[in-house]
Amino acid sequence: MYAFAPDPALSKPDLYRELAEAAGALVAGEPDPVANMANAAALVWQFVDRLNWAGFYRMVDGGLVLGPFQGKPACIRIPLGQGVCGAAAARGETQLVPDVHAFAGHIACDAASRSELVVPVIRDGQVIAVIDLDSPEPARFDSEDAAGIELLASAIAAAI
Ligand code: SME
């Protein structure tokens, strides 16, 4: 068992720094990407509140395929460029979507989702995966959440 407990008094940047450090510590020395993504998804679920889904889609043969996650069962394959995840992967850029209903092409895996944050994981200049966070609250995510999940993506990019 690993006991990583976020301190509720932490500022958001500090919370994400702790999350990235915990993830870095968990993946250190472990070569299995599935195990590392599974633990990273569990940490996001534990550290970040007001989520209904958190996890990975991996780049496989030019498209996205569902990876380890927390939340309800989700769409398995997402073509590059489609949905919020496909946009993040195609552009190699974080997508911060305050209202998923206003995002053309949003893929509704869980009808409860109202806002979404998707961060590409980049290794050697290539998008190898995306980290997807969904919330039932509109506008749940801001630039600090985006920066925090980008920090997590950097911390685990070599290990997934
Ligand atoms: N909403 C995402 C699909 C993945 S689920 O939210 C888990 C999208 O539009 O890409």
Side-chain angles (χ1 to χ4, degrees), residues 53 57 74 78 83-85 106-107 109 116 132 134:
W53 203 91
Y57 280 88
I78 299 177
V84 187
C85 291
H106 169 256
I107 300 165
C109 290
E116 184 158 359
D132 181 15
D134 287 38

Side-chain angles (χ1 to χ4, degrees), residues 5-102:
D7 177 349
L10 285 178
S11 70
K12 224 195 271 196
D14 284 343
L15 178 90
Y16 280 110
R17 258 191 293 279
E18 285 212 353
L19 167 57
E21 276 173 25
L26 270 178
V27 304
E30 174 49 62
D32 189 277
V34 174
N36 290 336
M37 285 186 277
N39 265 337
L43 278 177
V44 171
W45 194 250
Q46 192 187 356
F47 274 66
V48 185
D49 62 2
R50 294 171 285 140
L51 302 181
N52 60 310
W53 203 91
F56 289 84
Y57 280 88
R58 302 157 296 124
M59 279 289 266
V60 180
D61 297 333
L64 290 171
V65 182
L66 183 64
F69 67 93
Q70 304 270 315
K72 289 186 179 163
C75 332
I76 299 169
R77 290 179 186 269
I78 299 177
L80 209 57
Q82 289 192 18
V84 187
C85 291
R91 296 175 197 163
E93 286 169 8
T94 293
Q95 305 292 307
L96 191 53
V97 181
D99 176 4
V100 295
H101 299 314

